[in-house]
Amino acid sequence: MTEDTKTKTKKEPKRANKLTNARIKKEIEFLQSMFAGIDDEDKKSLVNSLVEEAAFLKVACFQAKEELKKEGLTTETVNASQKFVKAHPSATIYEKYSRQYTAIIHSLIEYLPPKEKKNISRLAALRNG
């Protein structure tokens, strides 16, 4: 009559980590391609540091957003015999990081190089009026 008297603990499923170096690097490359036309080295180094920060924040926001979709906006906290419903920690992270990301993107927009006009053939120019 040996019974297993140990209580089984419910394991939480492991969270998928979307905040990886590969995702951040991909976002950096995407953003840097927009600023390839900057010639001034000082501006380029400033833009590169802002791009790296923006890439991290975007991927972190993506991670927080995915967790919010899975787990919801609120979570229940138990403190002794009391239960509290509060905002999910990912909601706080998402809010904070998205504000920082928006501010950095606004800064980066000022450094965007002007777009080059595409050469239009004479025939196309005549046709379009």
Side-chain angles (χ1 to χ4, degrees):
M1 290 176 84
T2 60
E3 290 185 30
D4 189 18
T5 57
K6 294 181 182 177
T7 59
K8 293 184 180 181
T9 58
K10 184 178 178 183
K11 289 187 179 181
E12 290 186 27
K14 186 177 178 184
R15 294 182 181 191
N17 186 16
K18 310 259 185 211
L19 189 61
T20 62
N21 286 334
R23 284 182 187 262
I24 295 170
K25 185 177 178 183
K26 184 177 177 182
E27 188 62 30
I28 288 172
E29 290 171 359
F30 172 73
L31 290 171
Q32 282 180 339
S33 68
M34 292 183 198
F35 298 96
I38 297 177
D39 296 329
D40 186 13
E41 289 300 317
D42 292 333
K43 282 185 182 179
K44 191 177 270 191
S45 66
L46 175 66
V47 165
N48 285 340
S49 65
L50 286 173
V51 161
E52 288 176 11
E53 191 68 22
F56 172 80
L57 290 170
K58 183 173 182 180
V59 175
C61 282
F62 178 72
Q63 169 82 26
K65 190 183 221 181
E66 291 296 312
E67 287 180 11
L68 287 173
K69 285 180 184 177
K70 270 187 194 170
E71 301 170 17
L73 292 173
T74 59
T75 185
E76 190 174 275
T77 304
V78 179
N79 185 7
S81 63
Q82 298 175 333
K83 291 183 181 181
F84 300 99
V85 175
K86 65 178 190 174
H88 195 281
S90 293
T92 308
I93 292 169
Y94 183 79
E95 178 191 8
K96 182 179 177 183
Y97 283 11
S98 64
R99 285 180 192 216
Q100 290 176 342
Y101 175 75
T102 303
I104 289 174
I105 291 299
H106 282 297
S107 298
L108 282 172
I109 287 172
E110 295 177 16
Y111 293 106
L112 275 173
K115 288 191 175 187
E116 297 175 10
K117 293 182 179 179
K118 293 182 180 178
N119 292 333
I120 301 174
S121 69
R122 293 180 85 188
L123 179 62
L126 289 172
R127 182 181 55 210
N128 294 336

